[in-house]
Amino acid sequence: MNTPVLTGASLPLAPTVIQLSANQIACIKEFAGSKNVRYYLNAIHFRTDGSRVYMSATDGHMGAILRSPEGAVTGPDISWIVPIELFDRLGKSPVTL
């Protein structure tokens, strides 16, 4: 009888959860482009490393990188580019991605 072998490629992906304050998002949004022809500048880059998230944004002339406090991330490491339009309607409450 053959026993199936699970490899890393066949295992289901665990979700990554990032918890941030609305102030952190508002701060990094100031550096992202808006309505830029270069659409990739109209976004925020999120990269996780362990239990921290690094957020970066640029409009082509200025840029910023913010590091979250320890414990803001649960799940596997990711690298996401998220359009800033997703954050336009946020209030002052904490954000979970």
Side-chain angles (χ1 to χ4, degrees):
M1 179 161 108
N2 291 339
T3 304
V5 176
L6 294 176
T7 63
S10 63
L11 293 175
L13 295 176
T16 298
V17 178
I18 301 172
Q19 295 180 339
L20 301 167
S21 72
N23 289 340
Q24 289 171 312
I25 296 295
C27 182
I28 198 71
K29 271 181 61 177
E30 292 296 317
F31 292 90
S34 61
K35 299 180 182 161
N36 198 311
V37 174
R38 298 172 290 174
Y39 64 91
Y40 46 86
L41 296 180
N42 302 331
I44 301 171
H45 178 238
F46 292 87
R47 182 182 63 82
T48 61
D49 184 16
S51 63
R52 290 187 187 262
V53 62
Y54 296 86
M55 300 163 280
S56 59
T58 182
D59 66 358
H61 298 280
M62 61 180 181
I65 299 173
L66 292 178
R67 183 182 70 186
S68 73
E70 191 75 28
V73 178
T74 57
D77 288 341
I78 53 91
S79 180
W80 293 334
I81 297 176
V82 181
I84 59 170
E85 291 85 23
L86 181 69
F87 303 104
D88 283 345
R89 295 189 180 153
L90 293 178
K92 301 230 182 244
S93 58
V95 178
T96 301
L97 298 175

